Amino acid sequence: MKKLFVLGLVMTSMMAMAQENKRSITLVNYETDGVKQWLPGTIIAKKGETVEITLINNVPSGIHGFFIPTFNVRKEVKKGTKEVVSFKADKEGLFEMKCHMHPAHVGGQLLILP
Amino acid sequence: MKKLFVLGLVMTSMMAMAQENKRSITLVNYETDGVKQWLPGTIIAKKGETVEITLINNVPSGIHGFFIPTFNVRKEVKKGTKEVVSFKADKEGLFEMKCHMHPAHVGGQLLILP
Amino acid sequence: MKKLFVLGLVMTSMMAMAQENKRSITLVNYETDGVKQWLPGTIIAKKGETVEITLINNVPSGIHGFFIPTFNVRKEVKKGTKEVVSFKADKEGLFEMKCHMHPAHVGGQLLILP
């Protein structure tokens, strides 16, 4: 009985730690006169965190891509849908986010703090 | 006379210091297909500054909330109005900004530099 | 012949260095109910980089200004046009970006990392 209780405590604290190391962010696709971008255009996270990004695309002109080359994140988001990507922020620095489908689209910035 | 002059100098420099330590930022509420967020979604300030945020809500769908749990900032902004909140950035780090009224709304990030 | 080859190598690596030290960012002008701002509202760069900012103004209400006092960047962008400004980020810190034509417009933030 006591062992089960201790095991429960350990599991709870492990879950809490996992929770702490996850950062959830939502980006929304905006379009003005054919120019598209995900906003907010800046994401900040800390090294070691798992970054989960929800991508919402409601613009009328269709599919929009989301691409973070450094962390190998790549997703197409169809009009009227929502997609979720996640990655482990295992290095610090300043990185680019862009649309791999339409290089002309406006990119964003990802800052991973130490 | 000389004392008055010195007092004036001291007051002027105190006012200058107060000025220096205040950071004014404006956020605007955007809505696309029911998804709302304050933009810019990122605020950066320095530890020790008083951060004054002006919140402008012009979206058609009504009231929108602004909430920074860590600094106990909480404000409802009615459609067509402008509200001002302020807080002392007395700790550094990366903090969440969200809408306490509608948790589903898109949040933002507050970075307090050392 | 060998000298030409070495010269070529040197030039290639100088071009690569120049490439590495340039950061390209695009900002788009948004307007809601008369309130305008450039988004993303946050730009992050590293000290020593040349920051090139493309400004796209598609809002219906006309010209919009872009001004970074610290780096002496100042540009008016007419409706339906695109302008490019660039500056050398020769000091680190947190700086303001605003519209020098309409001080009431919503400003942004420029963070230059060490």
Side-chain angles (χ1 to χ4, degrees):
Chain A
M1 189 60 184
K2 201 176 166 190
K3 274 186 191 164
L4 261 182
F5 178 71
V6 171
L7 182 67
L9 273 188
V10 168
M11 284 179 66
T12 306
S13 82
M14 281 172 68
M15 284 163 68
M17 279 170 63
Q19 199 73 13
E20 254 185 300
N21 286 328
K22 186 175 156 191
R23 183 168 301 274
S24 297
I25 284 164
T26 300
L27 303 186
V28 182
N29 192 13
Y30 287 76
E31 181 174 2
T32 51
D33 232 22
V35 181
K36 291 194 213 175
Q37 67 175 325
W38 296 107
L39 290 174
T42 311
I43 293 178
I44 308 174
K46 292 177 189 166
K47 191 178 167 185
E49 289 179 337
T50 295
V51 182
E52 186 188 85
I53 304 174
T54 300
L55 300 157
I56 300 176
N57 181 3
N58 284 330
V59 300
S61 67
I63 203 163
H64 190 46
F66 181 77
F67 181 32
I68 310 177
T70 310
F71 294 102
N72 209 22
V73 169
R74 186 190 297 255
K75 182 63 83 176
E76 289 87 46
V77 190
K78 287 192 198 131
K79 177 173 92 170
T81 67
K82 185 190 284 198
E83 298 281 352
V84 178
V85 295
S86 82
F87 64 95
K88 181 74 182 290
D90 54 10
K91 61 191 108 178
E92 62 182 88
L94 181 58
F95 307 104
E96 279 190 320
M97 307 190 291
K98 47 188 164 181
C99 176
H100 53 291
M101 304 177 71
H102 317 95
H105 287 181
V106 177
Q109 294 189 295
L110 169 66
L111 175 64
I112 307 293
L113 302 170
Chain B
M1 189 61 185
K2 200 177 166 190
K3 273 188 192 165
L4 261 182
F5 178 71
V6 171
L7 182 67
L9 273 188
V10 169
M11 282 179 68
T12 306
S13 81
M14 280 172 69
M15 283 162 69
M17 279 171 64
Q19 200 73 13
E20 255 185 299
N21 287 327
K22 186 175 156 191
R23 183 168 300 275
S24 298
I25 284 164
T26 300
L27 303 186
V28 183
N29 192 12
Y30 286 75
E31 181 174 2
T32 51
D33 232 22
V35 181
K36 291 195 213 174
Q37 66 175 325
W38 296 107
L39 289 174
T42 311
I43 293 178
I44 308 175
K46 291 178 188 166
K47 190 178 168 184
E49 289 178 337
T50 295
V51 182
E52 186 188 85
I53 304 173
T54 300
L55 300 156
I56 300 177
N57 181 4
N58 284 330
V59 300
S61 68
I63 203 164
H64 191 47
F66 181 77
F67 181 33
I68 310 178
T70 310
F71 294 101
N72 209 22
V73 170
R74 186 190 297 255
K75 183 62 83 176
E76 288 86 48
V77 190
K78 286 192 198 132
K79 177 172 92 172
T81 67
K82 185 189 283 199
E83 298 280 352
V84 178
V85 294
S86 83
F87 64 95
K88 181 75 182 290
D90 54 11
K91 61 191 108 177
E92 62 182 88
L94 181 58
F95 307 105
E96 279 191 320
M97 305 190 293
K98 47 189 164 182
C99 176
H100 53 290
M101 305 177 70
H102 317 96
H105 288 181
V106 177
Q109 295 190 294
L110 168 66
L111 176 64
I112 308 292
L113 301 170
Chain C
M1 188 63 185
K2 201 176 163 189
K3 274 187 191 163
L4 262 183
F5 178 72
V6 171
L7 183 66
L9 272 187
V10 169
M11 282 180 68
T12 307
S13 81
M14 280 173 70
M15 283 162 68
M17 279 170 63
Q19 199 74 13
E20 255 185 300
N21 287 327
K22 185 173 156 192
R23 183 168 300 276
S24 297
I25 284 165
T26 300
L27 303 187
V28 182
N29 192 14
Y30 286 76
E31 180 175 3
T32 52
D33 230 23
V35 181
K36 292 195 212 173
Q37 66 176 327
W38 296 106
L39 291 174
T42 311
I43 292 178
I44 307 174
K46 291 177 188 167
K47 191 178 166 183
E49 289 178 336
T50 296
V51 182
E52 185 188 85
I53 304 175
T54 300
L55 300 157
I56 300 177
N57 180 4
N58 284 329
V59 301
S61 68
I63 203 164
H64 190 47
F66 181 77
F67 181 32
I68 311 178
T70 311
F71 294 101
N72 210 22
V73 170
R74 185 190 298 254
K75 182 62 82 175
E76 289 86 47
V77 190
K78 286 191 199 134
K79 177 172 92 172
T81 68
K82 186 189 283 200
E83 299 280 352
V84 178
V85 295
S86 83
F87 63 95
K88 181 75 181 291
D90 54 10
K91 60 191 109 177
E92 62 181 89
L94 181 58
F95 307 105
E96 279 190 321
M97 307 189 292
K98 47 189 166 181
C99 176
H100 53 291
M101 305 177 70
H102 318 96
H105 288 181
V106 177
Q109 295 190 294
L110 169 66
L111 175 64
I112 307 292
L113 302 170

Short mmCIF file of all heavy atoms in Angstrom, two decimals, chain A residues 52-105:
data_model
loop_
_atom_site.label_atom_id
_atom_site.label_comp_id
_atom_site.label_asym_id
_atom_site.label_seq_id
_atom_site.Cartn_x
_atom_site.Cartn_y
_atom_site.Cartn_z
N GLU A 52 4.89 23.02 -28.59
CA GLU A 52 3.74 22.54 -29.35
C GLU A 52 3.05 23.74 -29.98
O GLU A 52 2.63 24.66 -29.28
CB GLU A 52 2.78 21.80 -28.41
CG GLU A 52 1.62 21.15 -29.13
CD GLU A 52 0.60 20.61 -28.16
OE1 GLU A 52 -0.27 21.39 -27.72
OE2 GLU A 52 0.67 19.42 -27.82
N ILE A 53 2.96 23.73 -31.29
CA ILE A 53 2.37 24.87 -32.01
C ILE A 53 1.09 24.45 -32.71
O ILE A 53 1.08 23.52 -33.51
CB ILE A 53 3.37 25.44 -33.04
CG1 ILE A 53 4.70 25.81 -32.36
CG2 ILE A 53 2.78 26.66 -33.75
CD1 ILE A 53 5.78 26.24 -33.33
N THR A 54 0.00 25.15 -32.38
CA THR A 54 -1.27 24.93 -33.05
C THR A 54 -1.40 25.96 -34.16
O THR A 54 -1.23 27.16 -33.92
CB THR A 54 -2.43 25.06 -32.05
OG1 THR A 54 -2.26 24.09 -31.01
CG2 THR A 54 -3.77 24.83 -32.73
N LEU A 55 -1.65 25.50 -35.36
CA LEU A 55 -1.72 26.37 -36.54
C LEU A 55 -3.16 26.45 -37.03
O LEU A 55 -3.75 25.43 -37.41
CB LEU A 55 -0.82 25.80 -37.64
CG LEU A 55 0.67 25.68 -37.27
CD1 LEU A 55 1.35 24.63 -38.14
CD2 LEU A 55 1.35 27.03 -37.39
N ILE A 56 -3.73 27.65 -37.03
CA ILE A 56 -5.12 27.84 -37.45
C ILE A 56 -5.14 28.63 -38.75
O ILE A 56 -4.62 29.74 -38.82
CB ILE A 56 -5.92 28.61 -36.38
CG1 ILE A 56 -5.92 27.83 -35.06
CG2 ILE A 56 -7.35 28.87 -36.85
CD1 ILE A 56 -6.62 28.55 -33.91
N ASN A 57 -5.73 28.05 -39.79
CA ASN A 57 -5.79 28.70 -41.09
C ASN A 57 -7.23 28.98 -41.49
O ASN A 57 -7.94 28.08 -41.91
CB ASN A 57 -5.10 27.82 -42.15
CG ASN A 57 -5.12 28.46 -43.52
OD1 ASN A 57 -5.59 29.59 -43.69
ND2 ASN A 57 -4.64 27.74 -44.52
N ASN A 58 -7.65 30.23 -41.36
CA ASN A 58 -9.02 30.60 -41.74
C ASN A 58 -9.07 31.52 -42.96
O ASN A 58 -10.12 32.05 -43.28
CB ASN A 58 -9.71 31.31 -40.56
CG ASN A 58 -10.14 30.31 -39.50
OD1 ASN A 58 -10.44 29.16 -39.79
ND2 ASN A 58 -10.15 30.76 -38.25
N VAL A 59 -7.94 31.74 -43.63
CA VAL A 59 -7.97 32.69 -44.74
C VAL A 59 -8.67 32.07 -45.96
O VAL A 59 -8.66 30.86 -46.14
CB VAL A 59 -6.55 33.16 -45.16
CG1 VAL A 59 -5.86 33.84 -43.99
CG2 VAL A 59 -5.72 32.03 -45.70
N PRO A 60 -9.27 32.92 -46.79
CA PRO A 60 -10.06 32.40 -47.91
C PRO A 60 -9.24 31.73 -49.01
O PRO A 60 -9.76 30.91 -49.76
CB PRO A 60 -10.77 33.64 -48.45
CG PRO A 60 -9.99 34.82 -47.94
CD PRO A 60 -9.35 34.38 -46.66
N SER A 61 -7.95 32.04 -49.10
CA SER A 61 -7.22 31.62 -50.31
C SER A 61 -6.57 30.24 -50.22
O SER A 61 -5.73 29.90 -51.04
CB SER A 61 -6.17 32.66 -50.66
OG SER A 61 -5.18 32.66 -49.67
N GLY A 62 -6.92 29.47 -49.24
CA GLY A 62 -6.47 28.08 -49.27
C GLY A 62 -5.31 27.74 -48.38
O GLY A 62 -5.04 28.38 -47.36
N ILE A 63 -4.60 26.70 -48.79
CA ILE A 63 -3.54 26.07 -48.00
C ILE A 63 -2.38 27.04 -47.70
O ILE A 63 -2.06 27.93 -48.49
CB ILE A 63 -3.04 24.81 -48.75
CG1 ILE A 63 -2.39 23.80 -47.81
CG2 ILE A 63 -2.14 25.20 -49.90
CD1 ILE A 63 -2.27 22.42 -48.44
N HIS A 64 -1.78 26.85 -46.52
CA HIS A 64 -0.62 27.67 -46.16
C HIS A 64 0.38 26.77 -45.41
O HIS A 64 -0.02 25.93 -44.61
CB HIS A 64 -1.07 28.84 -45.28
CG HIS A 64 -0.01 29.88 -45.03
ND1 HIS A 64 0.79 30.40 -46.03
CD2 HIS A 64 0.37 30.52 -43.90
CE1 HIS A 64 1.62 31.30 -45.51
NE2 HIS A 64 1.39 31.38 -44.21
N GLY A 65 1.65 26.95 -45.67
CA GLY A 65 2.65 26.07 -45.07
C GLY A 65 3.33 26.68 -43.85
O GLY A 65 3.36 27.90 -43.70
N PHE A 66 3.88 25.80 -43.02
CA PHE A 66 4.63 26.24 -41.84
C PHE A 66 5.89 25.39 -41.75
O PHE A 66 5.83 24.16 -41.76
CB PHE A 66 3.78 26.07 -40.58
CG PHE A 66 4.49 26.52 -39.33
CD1 PHE A 66 4.59 27.86 -39.04
CD2 PHE A 66 5.04 25.60 -38.45
CE1 PHE A 66 5.24 28.29 -37.89
CE2 PHE A 66 5.70 26.02 -37.30
CZ PHE A 66 5.80 27.37 -37.02
N PHE A 67 7.04 26.04 -41.66
CA PHE A 67 8.30 25.34 -41.83
C PHE A 67 9.36 25.96 -40.90
O PHE A 67 9.61 27.16 -40.94
CB PHE A 67 8.73 25.49 -43.30
CG PHE A 67 10.01 24.82 -43.69
CD1 PHE A 67 10.43 23.63 -43.08
CD2 PHE A 67 10.81 25.36 -44.69
CE1 PHE A 67 11.62 23.01 -43.47
CE2 PHE A 67 11.99 24.74 -45.09
CZ PHE A 67 12.40 23.56 -44.46
N ILE A 68 9.93 25.13 -40.03
CA ILE A 68 11.09 25.57 -39.24
C ILE A 68 12.23 24.64 -39.61
O ILE A 68 12.35 23.53 -39.08
CB ILE A 68 10.83 25.47 -37.72
CG1 ILE A 68 9.50 26.14 -37.34
CG2 ILE A 68 11.97 26.12 -36.94
CD1 ILE A 68 9.17 26.02 -35.86
N PRO A 69 13.08 25.08 -40.56
CA PRO A 69 14.13 24.20 -41.07
C PRO A 69 14.99 23.57 -39.97
O PRO A 69 15.22 22.36 -39.97
CB PRO A 69 14.96 25.12 -41.97
CG PRO A 69 14.04 26.25 -42.33
CD PRO A 69 13.11 26.42 -41.18
N THR A 70 15.45 24.40 -39.02
CA THR A 70 16.39 23.93 -38.00
C THR A 70 15.84 22.75 -37.20
O THR A 70 16.59 21.86 -36.78
CB THR A 70 16.73 25.07 -37.01
OG1 THR A 70 17.10 26.21 -37.77
CG2 THR A 70 17.84 24.69 -36.07
N PHE A 71 14.54 22.76 -36.96
CA PHE A 71 13.97 21.70 -36.13
C PHE A 71 13.13 20.71 -36.95
O PHE A 71 12.38 19.92 -36.39
CB PHE A 71 13.14 22.32 -34.99
CG PHE A 71 14.01 23.09 -34.02
CD1 PHE A 71 14.07 24.48 -34.06
CD2 PHE A 71 14.78 22.42 -33.10
CE1 PHE A 71 14.88 25.18 -33.18
CE2 PHE A 71 15.60 23.11 -32.21
CZ PHE A 71 15.65 24.49 -32.25
N ASN A 72 13.29 20.81 -38.27
CA ASN A 72 12.67 19.84 -39.14
C ASN A 72 11.15 19.76 -38.98
O ASN A 72 10.55 18.69 -39.04
CB ASN A 72 13.29 18.46 -38.86
CG ASN A 72 13.27 17.59 -40.10
OD1 ASN A 72 13.18 18.10 -41.23
ND2 ASN A 72 13.33 16.28 -39.89
N VAL A 73 10.55 20.92 -38.75
CA VAL A 73 9.09 20.99 -38.61
C VAL A 73 8.53 21.47 -39.94
O VAL A 73 9.00 22.47 -40.49
CB VAL A 73 8.70 22.00 -37.50
CG1 VAL A 73 7.20 22.28 -37.53
CG2 VAL A 73 9.14 21.49 -36.14
N ARG A 74 7.53 20.77 -40.47
CA ARG A 74 7.01 21.10 -41.79
C ARG A 74 5.56 20.63 -41.85
O ARG A 74 5.28 19.44 -41.63
CB ARG A 74 7.83 20.35 -42.83
CG ARG A 74 7.54 20.67 -44.28
CD ARG A 74 8.25 19.69 -45.18
NE ARG A 74 9.70 19.76 -45.06
CZ ARG A 74 10.50 20.34 -45.98
NH1 ARG A 74 9.97 20.82 -47.08
NH2 ARG A 74 11.80 20.36 -45.80
N LYS A 75 4.65 21.56 -42.10
CA LYS A 75 3.24 21.17 -42.11
C LYS A 75 2.46 22.04 -43.09
O LYS A 75 2.67 23.24 -43.20
CB LYS A 75 2.68 21.37 -40.68
CG LYS A 75 1.24 20.98 -40.49
CD LYS A 75 0.98 19.52 -40.73
CE LYS A 75 1.27 18.64 -39.55
NZ LYS A 75 0.89 17.22 -39.80
N GLU A 76 1.56 21.41 -43.83
CA GLU A 76 0.62 22.16 -44.66
C GLU A 76 -0.70 22.24 -43.91
O GLU A 76 -1.18 21.23 -43.41
CB GLU A 76 0.39 21.46 -46.01
CG GLU A 76 1.59 21.50 -46.95
CD GLU A 76 2.56 20.36 -46.70
OE1 GLU A 76 2.11 19.21 -46.57
OE2 GLU A 76 3.77 20.63 -46.59
N VAL A 77 -1.28 23.44 -43.90
CA VAL A 77 -2.54 23.61 -43.18
C VAL A 77 -3.61 24.09 -44.16
O VAL A 77 -3.52 25.19 -44.72
CB VAL A 77 -2.40 24.63 -42.03
CG1 VAL A 77 -3.66 24.61 -41.16
CG2 VAL A 77 -1.17 24.32 -41.18
N LYS A 78 -4.60 23.22 -44.38
CA LYS A 78 -5.66 23.55 -45.33
C LYS A 78 -6.59 24.61 -44.78
O LYS A 78 -6.75 24.75 -43.56
CB LYS A 78 -6.47 22.29 -45.66
CG LYS A 78 -5.72 21.32 -46.55
CD LYS A 78 -6.69 20.23 -47.06
CE LYS A 78 -5.89 19.04 -47.56
NZ LYS A 78 -6.39 17.76 -47.02
N LYS A 79 -7.22 25.33 -45.68
CA LYS A 79 -8.19 26.37 -45.32
C LYS A 79 -9.27 25.80 -44.40
O LYS A 79 -9.82 24.72 -44.67
CB LYS A 79 -8.84 26.85 -46.62
CG LYS A 79 -9.93 27.87 -46.46
CD LYS A 79 -10.35 28.39 -47.81
CE LYS A 79 -11.51 27.60 -48.39
NZ LYS A 79 -12.07 28.25 -49.58
N GLY A 80 -9.52 26.49 -43.31
CA GLY A 80 -10.59 26.08 -42.40
C GLY A 80 -10.19 24.96 -41.46
O GLY A 80 -11.04 24.39 -40.78
N THR A 81 -8.90 24.64 -41.41
CA THR A 81 -8.49 23.56 -40.52
C THR A 81 -7.46 24.05 -39.50
O THR A 81 -7.00 25.19 -39.55
CB THR A 81 -7.87 22.37 -41.30
OG1 THR A 81 -6.64 22.79 -41.88
CG2 THR A 81 -8.81 21.88 -42.38
N LYS A 82 -7.11 23.14 -38.63
CA LYS A 82 -6.18 23.41 -37.54
C LYS A 82 -5.22 22.22 -37.50
O LYS A 82 -5.65 21.08 -37.58
CB LYS A 82 -7.03 23.46 -36.27
CG LYS A 82 -6.31 23.84 -35.02
CD LYS A 82 -7.19 23.63 -33.78
CE LYS A 82 -8.26 24.71 -33.63
NZ LYS A 82 -8.82 24.77 -32.26
N GLU A 83 -3.94 22.50 -37.41
CA GLU A 83 -2.97 21.41 -37.31
C GLU A 83 -2.09 21.66 -36.09
O GLU A 83 -1.91 22.81 -35.67
CB GLU A 83 -2.09 21.34 -38.56
CG GLU A 83 -2.81 21.06 -39.86
CD GLU A 83 -3.15 19.58 -40.04
OE1 GLU A 83 -2.68 18.75 -39.22
OE2 GLU A 83 -3.87 19.27 -41.00
N VAL A 84 -1.50 20.61 -35.55
CA VAL A 84 -0.60 20.76 -34.42
C VAL A 84 0.75 20.14 -34.77
O VAL A 84 0.81 19.02 -35.28
CB VAL A 84 -1.18 20.08 -33.16
CG1 VAL A 84 -0.20 20.20 -31.99
CG2 VAL A 84 -2.51 20.71 -32.78
N VAL A 85 1.81 20.90 -34.55
CA VAL A 85 3.16 20.36 -34.72
C VAL A 85 3.89 20.50 -33.39
O VAL A 85 3.52 21.33 -32.56
CB VAL A 85 3.96 21.11 -35.81
CG1 VAL A 85 3.34 20.92 -37.18
CG2 VAL A 85 4.08 22.59 -35.49
N SER A 86 4.89 19.66 -33.18
CA SER A 86 5.68 19.88 -31.96
C SER A 86 7.12 19.43 -32.19
O SER A 86 7.40 18.62 -33.07
CB SER A 86 5.06 19.17 -30.77
OG SER A 86 5.42 17.83 -30.75
N PHE A 87 8.02 20.03 -31.44
CA PHE A 87 9.43 19.68 -31.56
C PHE A 87 10.11 19.95 -30.23
O PHE A 87 9.61 20.70 -29.38
CB PHE A 87 10.10 20.49 -32.69
CG PHE A 87 10.13 21.97 -32.45
CD1 PHE A 87 11.24 22.58 -31.88
CD2 PHE A 87 9.04 22.77 -32.79
CE1 PHE A 87 11.27 23.95 -31.65
CE2 PHE A 87 9.06 24.15 -32.56
CZ PHE A 87 10.17 24.73 -32.00
N LYS A 88 11.26 19.30 -30.07
CA LYS A 88 12.07 19.50 -28.87
C LYS A 88 13.07 20.63 -29.17
O LYS A 88 13.85 20.51 -30.12
CB LYS A 88 12.81 18.20 -28.56
CG LYS A 88 13.68 18.22 -27.32
CD LYS A 88 12.84 18.17 -26.04
CE LYS A 88 13.73 18.24 -24.81
NZ LYS A 88 14.52 17.04 -24.58
N ALA A 89 13.03 21.68 -28.38
CA ALA A 89 13.95 22.82 -28.59
C ALA A 89 15.29 22.47 -27.99
O ALA A 89 15.64 22.91 -26.90
CB ALA A 89 13.37 24.07 -27.95
N ASP A 90 16.07 21.67 -28.72
CA ASP A 90 17.31 21.15 -28.15
C ASP A 90 18.54 22.01 -28.45
O ASP A 90 19.66 21.62 -28.15
CB ASP A 90 17.53 19.69 -28.58
CG ASP A 90 17.48 19.53 -30.08
OD1 ASP A 90 17.47 20.56 -30.78
OD2 ASP A 90 17.44 18.38 -30.55
N LYS A 91 18.33 23.15 -29.07
CA LYS A 91 19.46 24.09 -29.19
C LYS A 91 18.95 25.53 -29.05
O LYS A 91 17.83 25.84 -29.42
CB LYS A 91 20.23 23.89 -30.49
CG LYS A 91 19.44 24.09 -31.76
CD LYS A 91 20.21 23.61 -32.98
CE LYS A 91 19.57 22.32 -33.52
NZ LYS A 91 20.10 21.73 -34.68
N GLU A 92 19.79 26.37 -28.47
CA GLU A 92 19.40 27.76 -28.31
C GLU A 92 19.83 28.57 -29.52
O GLU A 92 20.71 28.16 -30.29
CB GLU A 92 20.03 28.34 -27.04
CG GLU A 92 21.54 28.35 -27.07
CD GLU A 92 22.15 28.89 -25.77
OE1 GLU A 92 22.35 28.08 -24.86
OE2 GLU A 92 22.39 30.10 -25.70
N GLY A 93 19.21 29.72 -29.70
CA GLY A 93 19.58 30.59 -30.81
C GLY A 93 18.36 31.25 -31.43
O GLY A 93 17.24 31.15 -30.92
N LEU A 94 18.60 31.93 -32.54
CA LEU A 94 17.55 32.64 -33.27
C LEU A 94 17.36 31.95 -34.61
O LEU A 94 18.30 31.83 -35.39
CB LEU A 94 17.98 34.10 -33.46
CG LEU A 94 17.04 35.05 -34.17
CD1 LEU A 94 15.69 35.13 -33.47
CD2 LEU A 94 17.66 36.45 -34.27
N PHE A 95 16.13 31.49 -34.88
CA PHE A 95 15.89 30.67 -36.06
C PHE A 95 14.73 31.22 -36.89
O PHE A 95 13.86 31.92 -36.38
CB PHE A 95 15.58 29.24 -35.63
CG PHE A 95 16.61 28.66 -34.71
CD1 PHE A 95 16.37 28.53 -33.34
CD2 PHE A 95 17.86 28.29 -35.19
CE1 PHE A 95 17.33 28.02 -32.48
CE2 PHE A 95 18.83 27.77 -34.35
CZ PHE A 95 18.57 27.63 -32.99
N GLU A 96 14.72 30.83 -38.15
CA GLU A 96 13.66 31.28 -39.06
C GLU A 96 12.47 30.33 -39.08
O GLU A 96 12.63 29.11 -39.01
CB GLU A 96 14.22 31.34 -40.49
CG GLU A 96 15.02 32.57 -40.80
CD GLU A 96 15.31 32.63 -42.29
OE1 GLU A 96 15.60 31.57 -42.89
OE2 GLU A 96 15.25 33.72 -42.86
N MET A 97 11.29 30.92 -39.23
CA MET A 97 10.09 30.14 -39.54
C MET A 97 9.59 30.68 -40.87
O MET A 97 9.55 31.89 -41.07
CB MET A 97 9.02 30.35 -38.47
CG MET A 97 9.51 30.10 -37.04
SD MET A 97 8.19 30.07 -35.78
CE MET A 97 7.68 31.81 -35.78
N LYS A 98 9.21 29.80 -41.78
CA LYS A 98 8.71 30.30 -43.06
C LYS A 98 7.68 29.36 -43.67
O LYS A 98 7.32 28.35 -43.07
CB LYS A 98 9.86 30.55 -44.03
CG LYS A 98 10.88 29.43 -44.15
CD LYS A 98 12.06 29.93 -45.00
CE LYS A 98 13.28 29.05 -44.86
NZ LYS A 98 14.42 29.56 -45.66
N CYS A 99 7.22 29.71 -44.86
CA CYS A 99 6.29 28.85 -45.57
C CYS A 99 7.07 28.13 -46.66
O CYS A 99 7.58 28.77 -47.58
CB CYS A 99 5.15 29.67 -46.16
SG CYS A 99 4.02 28.70 -47.17
N HIS A 100 7.20 26.81 -46.54
CA HIS A 100 7.98 26.06 -47.52
C HIS A 100 7.25 25.94 -48.86
O HIS A 100 7.84 25.58 -49.87
CB HIS A 100 8.30 24.66 -46.99
CG HIS A 100 7.09 23.91 -46.54
ND1 HIS A 100 6.38 24.27 -45.42
CD2 HIS A 100 6.45 22.83 -47.05
CE1 HIS A 100 5.37 23.43 -45.27
NE2 HIS A 100 5.39 22.56 -46.23
N MET A 101 5.95 26.24 -48.87
CA MET A 101 5.18 26.12 -50.11
C MET A 101 5.30 27.38 -50.96
O MET A 101 5.26 27.32 -52.18
CB MET A 101 3.71 25.87 -49.80
CG MET A 101 3.50 24.65 -48.91
SD MET A 101 1.76 24.46 -48.51
CE MET A 101 1.12 23.95 -50.10
N HIS A 102 5.35 28.51 -50.27
CA HIS A 102 5.38 29.79 -50.97
C HIS A 102 6.48 30.65 -50.34
O HIS A 102 6.21 31.40 -49.40
CB HIS A 102 4.04 30.51 -50.84
CG HIS A 102 2.84 29.63 -51.02
ND1 HIS A 102 2.19 29.06 -49.95
CD2 HIS A 102 2.20 29.20 -52.13
CE1 HIS A 102 1.18 28.34 -50.42
NE2 HIS A 102 1.16 28.40 -51.73
N PRO A 103 7.69 30.53 -50.84
CA PRO A 103 8.82 31.25 -50.22
C PRO A 103 8.59 32.76 -50.12
O PRO A 103 9.21 33.43 -49.29
CB PRO A 103 9.99 30.93 -51.16
CG PRO A 103 9.60 29.67 -51.84
CD PRO A 103 8.10 29.71 -51.99
N ALA A 104 7.68 33.28 -50.94
CA ALA A 104 7.44 34.73 -50.91
C ALA A 104 6.64 35.15 -49.68
O ALA A 104 6.60 36.31 -49.32
CB ALA A 104 6.72 35.15 -52.17
N HIS A 105 6.00 34.18 -49.04
CA HIS A 105 5.19 34.54 -47.87
C HIS A 105 6.06 35.07 -46.74
O HIS A 105 7.25 34.77 -46.64
CB HIS A 105 4.38 33.33 -47.40
CG HIS A 105 3.24 33.00 -48.32
ND1 HIS A 105 2.38 31.98 -48.08
CD2 HIS A 105 2.84 33.58 -49.48
CE1 HIS A 105 1.49 31.93 -49.06
NE2 HIS A 105 1.74 32.89 -49.92
#
